[in-house]
Amino acid sequence: MVASHSSRLAYIDWMRGLACVLMFQTHCYDSWLSPSARQSKFFMYSQLGGTFPAPLFLFLAGISFALVTEKLRTKHLPPTQIARTTIRRGAEILAFGLLFRLQEYVIAWGWAPFSDLLRVDILNTIGLSMMLMGILCWIVLSIEEGERARSALVLASAGTALLISLLTPLIWTSWRPRWLPWPLESYIDGVHNLGIPQAWLFPIFPWTAFAFAGLAAGFILQSQSSRRGEASTFVALGAGGLALVVVSRWFDAQPSQLYAVYDYWHTSPNFFLLRLGMLLVILTASYAWCRWIVGRWHAREWGFSPLIQLGQASLLVYWVHIDFVYGRVSILPKHSVSIRTASAGLLIISLAMLLLAYLRTRLKGHGGEILAWFRPPARAN
């Protein structure tokens, strides 16, 4: 497997970059298109593509979490220390999410409601997912060791993902924790302060299921058998993903459903299985692309992958692009332009974020050299 310029595996950065591009198009068309353009099939398909960025980010967070946990295990660190390290990182991401909400509230001062500070956004959920995954890994590693521990981690992670998915329709309806204050309940079911769960938020149910599914996939990829037959493992994961898509469609087509309230697009386990299947297919395709295409580019020393570049600075480009799309400094007027104009804006945003990502990765670790540019030359005594 060819690595990117950092120590991370190329396919992870490539998938994260793909999530960034899908996120850009979703946000740009949602923010800028006029009411008439929003009635088009073009907008419908663009928003359908928008169902993938959040699952991709969470799924990749799970894979990366497994890689980090496995690396710490090879150092023979005790489960408590592994948990402390990984949970602390999750808490940092959660803190970034809260800081991002504060920044957006300050920028929108005067017309943003105070409740926006407590919105459960994707960064909050990624951080919380990492903390929950850290707790699960700590429990499993405290019981099992060696290869048995890895197998137990795969089963526990996959089981947790399935359980979260199966409980989501109930958590959003008859099992809602109404006794909690809404800022806390919102982390469970995304109710915010509006009285009913909101589909545009990212609560634990169902979103963390994607992170636990990624955790299971990450531990599978770290097994000895997978390392020996890496390509075969990815092909098997892709085939399993296609099988999940077929099973999902079959369940959805049944005349009777398990739940009294069946909301396919928001809470249904069938939709979770379909998206998970697609994520596994994308994972396999990303691996193949990075191994046989991007790898050849880098071998010739002239390759450049825009998606890998974006993926290496995904947090930064997520943070920055929001204000230029939804904020007061939006580069186009909101809800008033044509598809062509919005597409031109999307191209500008994408290129600007690519440049930002390039500068971020190239200048990282060179802060001292940059500051030296602005220092006056030393005078001779």
Side-chain angles (χ1 to χ4, degrees):
M1 181 64 217
V2 179
S4 60
H5 291 300
S6 71
S7 61
R8 294 175 296 185
L9 300 179
Y11 70 88
I12 294 178
D13 284 328
W14 195 93
M15 285 184 68
R16 197 172 280 121
L18 175 63
C20 289
V21 172
L22 291 172
M23 174 180 64
F24 295 158
Q25 70 88 24
T26 303
H27 290 169
C28 288
Y29 290 130
D30 177 61
S31 176
W32 296 332
L33 286 183
S34 64
S36 60
R38 294 172 71 90
Q39 301 301 316
S40 64
K41 285 188 177 181
F42 178 89
F43 178 73
M44 179 189 72
Y45 285 119
S46 78
Q47 298 307 292
L48 186 61
T51 64
F52 282 100
L56 274 168
F57 283 129
L58 286 160
F59 185 73
L60 291 170
I63 292 180
S64 299
F65 194 96
L67 298 177
V68 171
T69 301
E70 194 63 26
K71 183 178 180 180
L72 295 175
R73 285 185 64 208
T74 60
K75 296 180 180 179
H76 304 290
L77 297 180
T80 303
Q81 187 171 348
I82 294 175
R84 185 163 51 245
T85 300
T86 53
I87 292 174
R88 183 188 301 120
R89 179 54 180 165
E92 291 173 358
I93 299 297
L94 177 60
F96 276 127
L98 297 173
L99 180 61
F100 177 73
R101 296 300 341 142
L102 176 61
Q103 172 194 287
E104 294 304 292
Y105 179 74
V106 171
I107 291 176
W109 187 270
W111 55 270
F114 180 78
S115 59
D116 272 9
L117 283 170
L118 304 174
R119 182 191 301 176
V120 182
D121 218 331
I122 185 63
L123 280 181
N124 306 58
T125 306
I126 291 175
L128 190 57
S129 297
M130 293 173 66
M131 297 172 71
L132 294 174
M133 289 188 292
I135 294 172
L136 178 70
C137 291
W138 171 64
I139 294 173
V140 173
L141 294 176
S142 298
I143 300 172
E144 299 287 356
E145 297 179 355
E147 284 296 316
R148 290 182 59 184
R150 187 181 292 109
S151 299
L153 285 167
V154 171
L155 293 175
S157 302
T160 302
L162 181 61
L163 180 63
I164 292 171
S165 176
L166 291 173
L167 289 177
T168 295
L170 298 174
I171 295 295
W172 278 44
T173 54
S174 56
W175 289 8
R176 266 188 58 197
R178 293 178 173 85
W179 45 273
L180 287 173
W182 72 260
L184 296 180
E185 184 187 350
S186 194
Y187 276 90
I188 305 297
D189 56 23
V191 71
H192 202 54
N193 63 340
L194 302 174
I196 58 174
Q198 302 297 306
W200 47 277
L201 296 177
F202 301 92
I204 291 174
F205 296 89
W207 292 101
T208 56
F210 293 106
F212 280 101
L215 185 66
F219 282 122
I220 289 174
L221 294 173
Q222 291 301 298
S223 67
Q224 293 180 4
S225 59
S226 296
R227 288 176 179 272
R228 288 193 297 266
E230 190 176 59
S232 299
T233 300
F234 276 95
V235 170
L237 288 173
L242 291 174
L244 286 179
V245 171
V246 173
V247 169
S248 168
R249 299 304 299 162
W250 184 82
F251 277 135
D252 185 56
Q254 298 309 299
S256 60
Q257 296 296 334
L258 181 63
Y259 304 96
V261 178
Y262 185 68
D263 186 350
Y264 178 79
W265 294 102
H266 300 131
T267 63
S268 169
N270 297 332
F271 189 40
F272 168 75
L273 288 179
L274 185 142
R275 286 195 285 185
L276 177 57
M278 293 300 297
L279 291 177
L280 292 172
V281 171
I282 294 172
L283 175 67
T284 300
S286 301
Y287 169 82
W289 178 264
C290 291
R291 176 168 179 173
W292 288 294
I293 304 298
V294 177
R296 291 179 181 177
W297 292 346
H298 286 298
R300 297 174 182 176
E301 297 183 356
W302 53 266
F304 174 76
S305 173
L307 292 186
I308 289 178
Q309 193 70 68
L310 284 171
Q312 291 175 347
S314 56
L315 176 59
L316 177 63
V317 299
Y318 166 79
W319 195 295
V320 172
H321 93 280
I322 289 291
D323 287 317
F324 291 99
V325 176
Y326 285 115
R328 282 183 170 173
V329 291
S330 173
I331 66 171
L332 288 175
K334 299 172 189 174
H335 306 301
S336 59
V337 304
S338 66
I339 293 175
R340 177 178 296 181
T341 303
S343 298
L346 169 61
L347 178 61
I348 293 172
I349 286 291
S350 299
L351 292 176
M353 294 303 101
L354 179 59
L355 176 60
L356 179 64
Y358 179 84
L359 294 175
R360 170 69 177 86
T361 54
R362 292 302 181 273
L363 298 180
K364 185 177 181 180
H366 297 283
E369 299 176 15
I370 296 172
L371 290 176
W373 297 348
F374 302 98
R375 293 174 185 159
R379 296 181 178 178
N381 293 328

